[in-house]
Amino acid sequence: MSYRTALSEVLTGTVGPVAEATAVQGRFPRGAVTALGGAGLLGLTVSTAFGGGGRGLAEAADVVARTARVCPATAAVLQSHYAAVAVVEAHGGPWLRTEIAAGRHLASLALAESEGEGAPVGAAAEARLLAPRSVATGSGGVVALRGRKRPVLAAGEADTYVWSSRPLAAPDGLTLWAVPAHAPDLFVPARPGAAGPRGSATSTVFADPVLVPAEAMLGTDGAGLDLVLRVVLPWLLELRAAAETFRPPTLDPESPRRRAGSLAAS
């Protein structure tokens, strides 16, 4: 079965029937995400060597565009997932890549560190991604991550966050980490208070601190800046454009203000 046929079946059978409830009630589309995983669409861009679809950005953008016609919240979650998976594909371990390929793992980006009620726009948003305030401290093969990420899509719903921090020891740049959602002292507030499509579980994620093994580093210390510039931003821009092209009128009267959020909202 082609990915387009699989997607059509999921959109018709699962995503479409709950799209209105997702928008009106703000409920995370867990059933839709599970169905997308089962159809091989969460693992669409993972290498075939790990059981994934072996597809690229063009196919991911196609999935996001077609999903956005039916459910903007699900499409927004997929944008963050596919951009995060692009980083995992470049530097993630085999277990994580296999889990994503099997459809058992939802990933999300935790890069932005917005302050205040509104998310920054344009160059200000990009600056938030390139200069994290979150810190990392290493000791005996364990790294303590401390910081606050906002806004994060699928906060409290994703299985892994691609998290950015200042380098451990490198003089400049930033460092990326694969942080499991079940890590102790990683938490999401009860009241989200962050912009994003209703139902996308867009919120703040706190690390206070979170302990991860040194092997959770994605790439090398300080080299995350290059990954954000060469991988994350191009994927986000393409996926965001795909979603906006086909986004239907929203059921949420406040969403025009919310949609004025930044690139960092993904």
Side-chain angles (χ1 to χ4, degrees):
M1 183 186 298
S2 72
Y3 81 87
R4 287 183 175 178
T5 300
L7 177 61
S8 294
E9 292 185 358
V10 172
L11 292 178
T12 301
T14 306
V15 180
V18 300
E20 183 173 350
T22 297
V24 174
Q25 300 174 18
R27 182 182 304 166
F28 185 78
R30 172 52 60 187
V33 170
T34 300
L36 288 164
L41 295 163
L42 292 185
L44 181 69
T45 58
V46 178
S47 168
T48 56
F50 293 93
R55 302 286 185 156
L57 177 54
E59 291 83 3
D62 183 38
V63 171
V64 167
R66 295 174 64 194
T67 303
R69 302 175 190 177
V70 180
C71 180
T74 303
V77 170
L78 284 173
Q79 290 174 54
S80 188
H81 171 78
Y82 284 136
V85 171
V87 177
V88 172
E89 269 294 279
H91 294 289
W95 178 86
L96 181 54
R97 295 170 72 183
T98 299
E99 286 293 296
I100 295 171
R104 296 188 290 264
H105 223 78
L106 178 67
S108 190
L109 296 172
L111 305 180
E113 298 179 351
S114 303
E115 297 290 345
E117 290 299 316
V121 179
E126 184 172 317
R128 297 289 191 184
L129 299 181
L130 305 182
R133 290 183 294 275
S134 298
V135 297
T137 307
S139 176
V142 176
V143 176
L145 299 173
R146 187 186 299 274
R148 178 177 67 174
K149 300 295 183 176
R150 177 184 185 271
V152 177
L153 283 156
E157 299 287 348
D159 299 289
T160 293
Y161 300 100
V162 173
W163 184 281
S164 63
S165 74
R166 295 173 181 173
L168 276 173
D172 51 29
L174 60 88
T175 301
L176 297 179
W177 309 87
V179 178
H182 59 74
D185 296 316
L186 186 74
F187 64 96
V188 178
R191 295 185 178 182
R198 283 182 61 82
S200 63
T202 303
S203 187
T204 303
V205 178
F206 293 89
D208 191 31
V210 168
L211 302 181
V212 297
E215 292 77 14
M217 185 184 296
L218 296 168
T220 57
D221 191 34
L225 179 60
D226 187 55
L227 273 173
V228 172
L229 291 173
R230 290 191 304 105
V231 178
V232 175
L233 290 178
W235 276 70
L236 283 180
L237 288 170
E238 187 71 21
L239 296 171
R240 173 70 59 83
E244 291 294 340
T245 299
F246 294 105
R247 179 168 291 180
T250 179
L251 297 170
D252 176 17
E254 292 186 4
S255 66
R257 175 178 61 83
R258 291 188 175 122
R259 283 205 310 273
S262 69
L263 176 66
S266 292

